[in-house]
């Protein structure tokens, strides 16, 4: 009998037949959702026989919701995710420059899904623009509810923009910093200690549980000193205060170096590595975008703010084959809410053609299985995808980049993965 997943203390209680709400999505969403569910179901059956089974429950959002209900994001959909705790979704369209605000952002903010988790790994055989893609193994923790994605914006010429400009000029002394005040729009960038700390805490727990070597705070604090610079300081404060015996921070290293010597600091760092402590460091965003290409082995878990995380996620995905096979999840580790999602767009130009790659949504489903504790089923999918890519049997996006590859439709690609579950 189908039942609900619940959070009990620090643990999820997952029944053998959990109800999982899903949003089909816009554009290619209807092409990739069904095949992805078939792969996930096959992995569960392969691993647990008839003792476990997901009960899929469709809920509405996006164009399909608007056509049927007159609302882009019905309240019933939000309530379903609250009731059943865990869900999965296809891509949802977001107009550029006007229209509705991002439904993806609305879901994250309404359910307070403060972590956007994007693991990045390479599958052998997948084309990559970097020389050693097998060295890329990173886990991005992107803060999901603050930064400019909070949506606090005022259009030039609006009464709100004029009022804000007047307040900044008269009350805050802001004059020369706004070069063209008469036709400037404004956005507000909130960064809080609480929001920063809960993200970094989640990243550190993740690194410690998986015995990963480092957490890197990526920021632009050299320019935005009181927002992104504060994020860096909040992260170090939290690491040293709450994880002191399990971490060694770059700030600790600098303190030893200034009070003693660089030799003592280096010894302390090496000792921390030998004893399995997580090294917590920081790097400026633009430097990280370069260094992650040149020395990906230096980075493991990445903790960063919303906008930086958006850029970083796509660059790292490109290093291992593209966003078409890059998974993602939006999680609140405190209350257990989680929505797993395709990380790419709706690609309406290829909707219904069978060209869409379901890999991102399939791998997001694998993250969902891992989050539920059904790790055996998750490993079946990883193994099967390894075999599928090794055989060069792929969808059109990867087929165009791979010599000697066999072109498969969206549905055929899912079938191939299922056949390769050994």
């Amino acid at each position: 009998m189908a039942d609900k997943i619940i959070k009990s203390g620090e643990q999820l209680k997952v029944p053998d037949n959990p109800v999982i709400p899903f949003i089909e999505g816009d554009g290619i969403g209807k092409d990739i959702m069904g095949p992805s569910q078939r792969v996930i179901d096959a992995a569960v059956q392969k691993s647990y026989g008839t003792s476990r089974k997901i009960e899929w429950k469709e809920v509405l959002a996006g164009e399909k919701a608007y056509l049927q209900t007159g609302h882009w994001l019905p309240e019933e959909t939000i309530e379903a995710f609250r009731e059943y705790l865990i869900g999965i979704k296809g891509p949802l369209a977001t107009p550029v420059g006007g229209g509705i605000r991002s439904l993806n952002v609305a879901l994250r903010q309404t359910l307070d899904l403060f972590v956007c988790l994007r693991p990045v790994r390479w599958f052998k055989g997948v084309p990559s623009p970097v020389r050693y893609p097998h060295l890329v193994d990173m886990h991005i923790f992107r803060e999901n509810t603050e930064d400019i994605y909070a949506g606090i914006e005022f259009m030039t010429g609006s009464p709100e923009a004029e009022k804000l400009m007047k307040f900044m000029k008269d009350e805050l002394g802001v004059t020369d910093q706004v070069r063209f005040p008469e036709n400037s729009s404004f956005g507000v960038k909130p960064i809080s200690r609480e929001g920063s700390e809960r993200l970094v805490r989640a990243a550190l727990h993740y690194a410690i549980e998986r015995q990963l070597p480092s957490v890197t705070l990526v920021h632009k604090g050299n320019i935005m000193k009181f927002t992104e610079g504060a994020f860096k300081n909040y992260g170090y404060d939290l690491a040293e205060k709450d994880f002191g015996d399990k971490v060694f921070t770059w700030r600790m290293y600098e303190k030893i170096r200034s009070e003693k010597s660089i030799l003592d600091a280096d010894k302390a760092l090496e000792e921390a590595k030998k004893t399995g402590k997580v090294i917590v460091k920081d790097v400026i965003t633009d430097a990280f975008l370069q260094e992650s290409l040149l020395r990906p082995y230096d980075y493991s878990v990445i903790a960063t703010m919303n906008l930086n995380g958006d850029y970083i996620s796509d660059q790292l995905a490109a290093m291992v084959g593209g966003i078409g096979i890059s998974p993602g999840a939006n999680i609140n580790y405190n209350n257990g809410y989680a929505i797993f999602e395709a990380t790419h767009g709706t690609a309406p130009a290829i909707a219904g053609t069978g060209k869409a790659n379901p890999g991102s949504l399939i791998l997001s489903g694998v993250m969902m299985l891992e989050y539920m504790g059904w790790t055996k089923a998750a490993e079946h999918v990883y193994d099967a995808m390894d075999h599928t890519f090794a055989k060069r049997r792929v969808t059109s996006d990867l087929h165009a980049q791979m010599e000697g590859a066999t072109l498969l439709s969206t549905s055929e690609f899912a079938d191939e993965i299922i056949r390769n579950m050994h």
Side-chain angles (χ1 to χ4, degrees):
M1 188 174 89
D3 210 343
K4 300 173 186 176
I5 299 170
I6 62 172
K7 182 92 183 294
S8 177
E10 297 297 313
Q11 301 297 320
L12 287 179
K13 288 191 173 181
V14 181
D16 290 334
N17 296 100
V19 176
I20 301 293
F22 72 93
I23 296 170
E24 182 180 71
D26 296 324
I28 60 171
K30 59 182 175 295
D31 301 339
I32 64 176
M33 181 58 74
S36 299
Q37 289 170 324
R38 286 198 290 109
V39 170
I40 296 165
D41 286 340
V44 171
Q45 194 277 330
K46 185 80 172 177
S47 302
Y48 311 112
T50 58
S51 65
R52 290 181 179 176
K53 186 178 186 295
I54 290 173
E55 299 293 335
W56 301 102
K57 175 184 174 66
E58 184 173 10
V59 294
L60 301 177
E63 185 179 7
K64 190 173 184 178
Y66 185 76
L67 293 174
Q68 293 188 28
T69 71
H71 299 281
W72 293 97
L73 183 58
E75 184 60 31
E76 293 82 2
T77 296
I78 299 291
E79 287 306 313
F81 287 126
R82 286 196 178 107
E83 181 177 2
Y84 296 106
L85 217 66
I86 292 175
I88 192 167
K89 59 177 281 295
L92 293 171
T94 302
V96 176
I100 60 168
R101 288 240 177 225
S102 168
L103 298 176
N104 301 309
V105 173
L107 280 167
R108 295 165 190 165
Q109 293 184 343
T110 302
L111 295 171
D112 197 25
L113 305 173
F114 61 86
V115 168
C116 178
L117 175 58
R118 295 278 296 272
V120 182
R121 57 166 284 182
W122 181 67
F123 289 94
K124 188 175 181 179
V126 173
S128 167
V130 298
R131 187 172 183 182
Y132 301 115
H134 64 281
L135 297 177
V136 180
D137 184 13
M138 299 187 216
H139 311 258
I140 305 158
F141 276 69
R142 169 190 173 191
E143 204 289 320
N144 234 352
T145 64
E146 297 192 313
D147 204 354
I148 61 171
Y149 281 70
I152 308 170
E153 289 189 304
F154 305 103
M155 184 64 184
T156 178
S158 69
E160 294 84 0
E162 293 175 1
K163 187 183 294 185
L164 180 58
M165 184 64 241
K166 185 175 188 306
F167 176 79
M168 289 193 295
K169 180 179 178 181
D170 295 346
E171 303 295 330
L172 304 179
V174 175
T175 53
D176 296 341
Q177 297 98 317
V178 181
R179 187 65 56 86
F180 306 107
E182 293 79 12
N183 54 17
S184 290
S185 297
F186 298 99
V188 179
K189 179 186 178 76
I191 301 291
S192 69
R193 177 181 288 275
E194 183 178 355
S196 301
E197 285 187 345
R198 67 180 184 173
L199 177 87
V200 176
R201 183 180 292 110
L204 283 165
H205 278 304
Y206 186 93
I208 291 166
E209 288 170 3
R210 288 160 179 77
Q211 297 183 322
L212 299 172
S214 68
V215 172
T216 303
L217 309 172
V218 181
H219 62 91
K220 193 66 178 168
N222 57 330
I223 303 299
M224 291 171 275
K225 300 181 185 299
F226 304 135
T227 51
E228 305 220 359
F231 171 84
K232 179 198 77 169
N233 293 331
Y234 297 153
Y236 277 137
D237 291 345
L238 182 279
E240 293 169 3
K241 175 170 61 78
D242 289 6
F243 297 84
D245 61 337
K246 297 178 181 177
V247 304
F248 183 81
T249 71
W250 198 248
R251 198 163 68 177
M252 293 175 180
Y253 176 92
E254 293 294 344
K255 188 170 186 283
I256 296 170
R257 180 176 175 174
S258 64
E259 293 178 353
K260 297 181 179 180
S261 70
I262 189 170
L263 182 60
D264 289 310
D266 286 344
K267 284 181 179 179
L269 177 59
E270 288 307 311
E271 181 62 24
K273 290 178 179 178
K274 285 179 183 177
T275 55
K277 291 187 177 182
V278 175
I279 307 304
V280 182
K281 52 191 175 178
D282 74 277
V283 65
I284 302 298
T285 307
D286 45 321
F288 174 81
L289 292 172
Q290 172 184 257
E291 291 174 9
S292 59
L293 285 167
L294 298 175
R295 296 190 299 277
Y297 44 80
D298 281 345
Y299 301 101
S300 181
V301 177
I302 311 302
T304 190
M305 288 147 293
N306 216 330
L307 183 61
N308 291 336
D310 204 352
Y311 299 148
I312 290 166
S313 296
D314 281 12
Q315 174 179 297
L316 297 187
M319 294 167 65
V320 294
I323 203 167
I325 54 171
S326 175
N330 303 287
I331 302 172
N332 183 317
Y333 285 97
N334 298 331
N335 58 30
Y337 291 155
I339 298 179
F340 300 82
E341 65 179 354
T343 59
H344 50 71
T346 58
I350 63 169
T353 65
K355 294 182 178 180
N357 185 343
S360 173
L361 193 58
I362 290 171
L363 289 170
S364 296
V366 172
M367 292 178 67
M368 183 182 75
L369 293 172
E370 291 174 328
Y371 188 69
M372 292 163 57
W374 293 11
T375 54
K376 188 176 179 182
E379 286 302 323
H380 269 305
V381 183
Y382 282 135
D383 181 65
M385 291 192 78
D386 269 326
H387 282 82
T388 301
F389 288 128
K391 293 177 180 179
R392 296 176 175 265
R393 296 177 64 79
V394 294
T395 49
S396 62
D397 55 333
L398 296 177
H399 180 264
Q401 305 173 56
M402 298 171 69
E403 292 184 11
T406 300
L407 176 63
L408 301 179
S409 70
T410 307
S411 185
E412 289 171 339
F413 181 68
D415 292 337
E416 185 70 18
I417 294 171
I418 293 169
R419 271 193 297 271
N420 285 324
M421 287 184 186
H422 299 143

